[in-house]
Amino acid sequence: MKISMKNSLVVVAMAALVAGCSSVKVADFDSIQLYTLKNKAGMEVKLTNYGAIITSIKTVDRDGNMADITFGYNDVSGYMNAVDKPYFGAVVGRYGNRIAKGKFTLDGEEYELATNNNENHLHGGKIGFDKVVWDVEIVNKNTIRFTYLAKDGEEGYPGNLSIAVTYTLTENNELKIAYHATTDKATPVNLTNHAYFNLKGEGEGTILDHELMLNAKGFTPVDKGLIPTGEIAPVAGTPFDFTTAKPIGRDIGQKDQQLEYGGGYDHNFVLNKEGQDGQMILAATAYEPTSGRFMEVFTEEPGIQFYCGNFLEGNLVGKSGKAYLHRGGFCLETQHYPDSPNQPQFPSTILRPGKAYETLTIYRFSVR
Ligand code: BGC
């Protein structure tokens, strides 16, 4: 049921999205919706308030053909039941990526978080922000805002955290994601979006041929459990050097301990910030030569997690019936560094009462 037409916010009741989902409370059945943003150029982004998930991004290739370039499902049960929790398109938090052993000390108090990735805490825990129903505000025809109140003690975190994630589709084919949060007790916060991209189209093979540029001279090496060692290592002379665009697959097969630990690239890159923290910079670009699709990522964050779908095994079948292969999609998750609450030398992720967490990320799409 389309409520309005072209170049406007289209709200579609998500009947299909809730079908077969017996574990959701009745109230939630009524509240899960699918929203479509469309611009004059025809770019279209679909979002749902379950997990504040981006379910689809349709852009043109250099010949004007549309394809959906992000992973997802046609129904909410797909998101709820996906094995190995891939976090397709979701907002992850309260803390994106890992916190070692699910523990940290803040203002002299030790906190214990839910552990959901072996002994570690990943992407907010067992029921992170990707698995809750958010409230919705339709701001205008290009903009939608999802809000959620994470309660004091949820997944072990201190403080009632009030979060707003605002998605805007511009006429320049940009998807802007603005994050805002406030708290009533000091707490770590690190929000990001976990969209997987394949610029050929979701489910169209691997992303090893995509040419990636990362504006990062350093990265944070990890241990076997993918927890940063605390060091910032130079990328120069390693397979992690994406300072000049190169195919993702070019060096991924090199014998390298960090690639071994990640099963490929699954690392936080330290973005080159020449000015003060918080400035918006171009963090990454990705180009797919056959379609000509080009993507730029801008962020105010100090880091970006480049994850190339190493944990995908081809057993998840997406919305168009195609399997999501090993390395069939990549994520560029703008963020603070993983495990920052335990690494005082990393930029702080602690939000205190009276302050606002605010950060903007932009995905811009074009063709070349
Ligand atoms: C992490 C990976 C993880 C993936 C899916 C990424 O952000 O860096 O290690 O497997 O999310 O959960």
Side-chain angles (χ1 to χ4, degrees):
M1 170 194 55
K2 277 191 177 176
I3 290 180
S4 55
M5 300 298 286
K6 214 168 160 217
N7 190 28
S8 64
L9 185 71
V10 179
V11 184
V12 181
M14 211 167 182
L17 220 135
V18 295
C21 196
S22 54
S23 61
V24 181
K25 283 184 273 165
V26 173
D28 293 345
F29 270 65
D30 294 332
S31 59
I32 295 174
Q33 308 267 309
L34 186 65
Y35 304 87
T36 305
L37 304 174
K38 205 167 182 172
N39 69 11
K40 287 196 185 108
M43 181 176 158
E44 186 195 271
V45 176
K46 290 192 177 179
L47 305 146
T48 173
N49 57 325
Y50 178 75
I53 289 171
I54 301 170
T55 65
S56 143
I57 300 177
K58 287 187 181 150
T59 69
V60 286
D61 68 8
R62 66 161 83 80
D63 300 320
N65 303 312
M66 276 289 181
D68 188 347
I69 56 164
T70 197
F71 287 14
Y73 294 108
N74 288 323
D75 53 57
V76 81
S77 60
Y79 290 97
M80 295 177 116
N81 302 330
V83 283
D84 299 332
K85 313 222 167 36
Y87 302 90
F88 292 161
V91 168
V92 293
R94 181 177 304 205
Y95 199 96
N97 215 285
R98 291 173 179 79
I99 296 179
K101 300 189 170 70
K103 285 189 185 152
F104 65 94
T105 302
L106 177 56
D107 297 340
E109 202 161 323
E110 181 163 317
Y111 292 93
E112 228 171 285
L113 306 174
T115 50
N116 58 331
N117 188 246
N118 303 318
E119 57 179 3
N120 299 320
H121 176 90
L122 174 66
H123 295 330
K126 293 190 168 125
I127 305 181
F129 297 169
D130 58 297
K131 293 177 200 72
V132 298
V133 179
W134 295 59
D135 290 326
V136 186
E137 188 192 330
I138 295 170
V139 179
N140 59 46
K141 63 187 173 59
N142 303 314
T143 303
I144 185 157
R145 179 172 300 138
F146 297 115
T147 57
Y148 178 65
L149 176 67
K151 299 257 167 56
D152 187 12
E154 204 169 296
E155 301 296 306
Y157 287 103
N160 291 294
L161 184 73
S162 172
I163 311 129
V165 177
T166 306
Y167 289 102
T168 301
L169 175 62
T170 72
E171 294 302 334
N172 299 324
N173 292 339
E174 296 161 320
L175 178 61
K176 293 189 172 179
I177 313 177
Y179 302 86
H180 180 274
T182 52
T183 185
D184 58 6
K185 259 190 215 166
T187 179
V189 184
N190 190 28
L191 304 177
T192 189
N193 184 283
H194 210 293
Y196 289 65
F197 297 95
N198 182 328
L199 300 181
K200 284 193 284 262
E202 51 88 34
E204 298 290 344
T206 78
I207 44 71
L208 296 172
D209 52 354
H210 285 55
E211 293 164 18
L212 180 75
M213 185 285 292
L214 293 173
N215 187 8
K217 291 193 197 108
F219 75 111
T220 50
V222 289
D223 66 14
K224 274 190 196 130
L226 300 182
I227 299 293
T229 59
E231 184 198 350
I232 294 179
V235 297
T238 79
F240 290 80
D241 191 348
F242 285 92
T243 50
T244 304
K246 67 173 179 188
I248 292 172
R250 180 179 292 173
D251 298 328
I252 205 170
Q254 278 190 24
K255 202 167 159 35
D256 176 281
Q257 193 186 52
Q258 285 300 309
L259 287 174
E260 213 176 286
Y261 285 166
Y265 299 106
D266 188 359
H267 292 79
N268 172 65
F269 285 74
V270 174
L271 295 171
N272 299 333
K273 296 248 165 167
E274 258 119 55
Q276 75 274 47
D277 206 24
Q279 76 185 132
M280 191 79 171
I281 62 153
L282 176 67
T285 65
Y287 175 65
E288 197 287 298
T290 61
S291 65
R293 286 196 183 85
F294 184 69
M295 171 181 173
E296 295 159 285
V297 182
F298 299 86
T299 186
E300 295 173 345
E301 287 299 291
I304 194 163
Q305 185 81 12
F306 167 46
Y307 168 59
C308 68
N310 307 307
F311 295 112
L312 297 171
E313 290 173 349
N315 55 342
L316 300 175
V317 175
K319 51 200 157 184
S320 59
K322 294 178 196 134
Y324 293 143
L325 302 183
H326 180 60
R327 300 181 180 155
F330 62 87
C331 302
L332 291 168
E333 301 159 68
T334 54
Q335 61 181 10
H336 271 58
Y337 313 163
D339 199 37
S340 296
N342 294 309
Q343 312 256 8
Q345 73 284 19
F346 288 172
S348 174
T349 52
I350 305 304
L351 177 67
R352 295 190 177 272
K355 301 267 184 222
Y357 169 95
E358 279 185 81
T359 185
L360 178 66
T361 289
I362 302 175
Y363 294 132
R364 183 194 287 162
F365 301 92
S366 56
V367 287
R368 300 218 150 161

